[in-house]
Amino acid sequence: MHTTRAQPVDLADYLPELLPMARTTTRLHPCPGYPSMSDSSVGGPLRWPAVEAWPNCSMPHHAPDDVAGDPRKPVPLVPIVQLYARDVSELPFPPGTDLLQVLWCPFDHPEEDEGPWPRPILYWRNEAAVGARLAAGMPEPSENSPFGTVPRPCLIDPEQVVEYPSPDELAYQPDRASRMDAVEAATGWSYFRHLSVAPGIKVGGWPRWTQPPRWPECICGRRMEHLLTVSSREYDVESGKRWAPIQHVGADIDPQVDSIERGFSPTDLCIGDMGGMYLFICPRCPDVPWTYRFDCS
Ligand SMILES: [Zn+2]
Ligand SMILES: [Zn+2]
């Protein structure tokens, strides 16, 4: 069980203009375990059709030693997230689909190919149509995979939480900035760290960017929508006062006094130090285009 602490401050008292910007996100709350291909998971086995070869990354890789001596040898992608509609029905599954799978290549790629971060790829499927499953099973991730790029298998425990945009999403207004300072001075709860946007692996809602926001635009001209964030930690020493599940830390946090002993990374992911991978879709275009952004701390 994972329960996020209720919003500890009534924003109507300090930042009423932000109330219409509330969005619901689904925190996935990954928890180490033994998922099967029939489970929603982070880093678990995927329900993969037997008629479809496992995907490889065929881009050149950065250091030859990383990839068993051959920088151009194809590398099997590793499972990152699998979500069934029965577990996360609020995910905007395109018509006829009820299963989302995200994989990435864990190796570094040369800078000229956009930079040294994992390359995600996304599949929408229909569970019933997957049919016979890959007989040979999934390839094992290379044991040379860079530190923190292959998640430890985790089951999930989805929880819907209301959140608000990070201050970087808002036009700067001196009056608003001083009201954000006033909240923290009066209550000990920081708008950015505690009252706005949830950290961790989550579906929908607002991205908790590590760097300034970089929303992608669809070919139709509309801003894409946030689908999924994969990040390294579920919370850290500061944000944990609000976002650590109360089952982890108890229910009596005084933000003026208490600190959470350590951050929490059930997946063992460490991407871009403490950065994040953000996936976006355009649900209004018929083929549901998608893309991603990545940032480093
Ligand atoms: Zn690759
Ligand atoms: Zn579009």
Side-chain angles (χ1 to χ4, degrees), residues 267-287:
T267 59
D268 282 346
L269 283 171
C270 183
I271 48 171
D273 191 9
M274 288 297 141
M277 179 72 74
Y278 316 91
L279 285 102
F280 299 85
I281 59 169
C282 178
R284 297 188 195 86
C285 278
D287 52 349

Side-chain angles (χ1 to χ4, degrees), residues 37 45-54 130-140:
M37 69 175 71
L46 304 183
R47 181 177 293 278
W48 199 264
V51 293
E52 208 174 303
W54 190 262
V130 168
R133 299 184 298 265
L134 196 63
M138 302 189 311
E140 286 293 320

Side-chain angles (χ1 to χ4, degrees), residues 160-223:
Q160 289 190 292
V161 173
V162 173
E163 61 180 6
Y164 296 87
S166 81
D168 287 345
E169 302 276 6
L170 306 168
Y172 180 74
Q173 293 176 7
D175 164 62
R176 178 154 59 210
S178 61
R179 284 182 286 130
M180 286 181 183
D181 291 344
V183 180
E184 187 163 1
T187 68
W189 297 104
S190 148
Y191 177 74
F192 169 61
R193 292 191 299 275
H194 307 132
L195 306 178
S196 58
V197 61
I201 299 181
K202 64 183 192 176
V203 164
W206 292 95
R208 188 182 175 102
W209 306 94
T210 308
Q211 301 295 332
R214 288 188 299 132
W215 286 90
E217 193 172 278
C218 181
I219 46 170
C220 70
R222 298 183 184 95
R223 193 167 88 167

Side-chain angles (χ1 to χ4, degrees), residues 56-116:
N56 290 320
C57 178
S58 51
M59 294 174 71
H61 294 97
H62 203 259
D65 291 348
D66 282 351
V67 196
D70 180 354
R72 291 195 171 267
K73 185 176 167 186
V75 170
L77 303 190
V78 298
I80 302 303
V81 173
Q82 169 166 278
L83 297 174
Y84 286 96
R86 58 176 173 269
D87 298 317
V88 190
S89 60
E90 57 274 30
L91 194 69
F93 289 94
T97 72
D98 56 8
L99 174 58
L100 169 67
Q101 296 169 334
V102 177
L103 303 87
W104 68 38
C105 174
F107 285 96
D108 286 358
H109 304 84
E111 290 293 337
E112 57 266 29
D113 296 311
E114 298 173 45

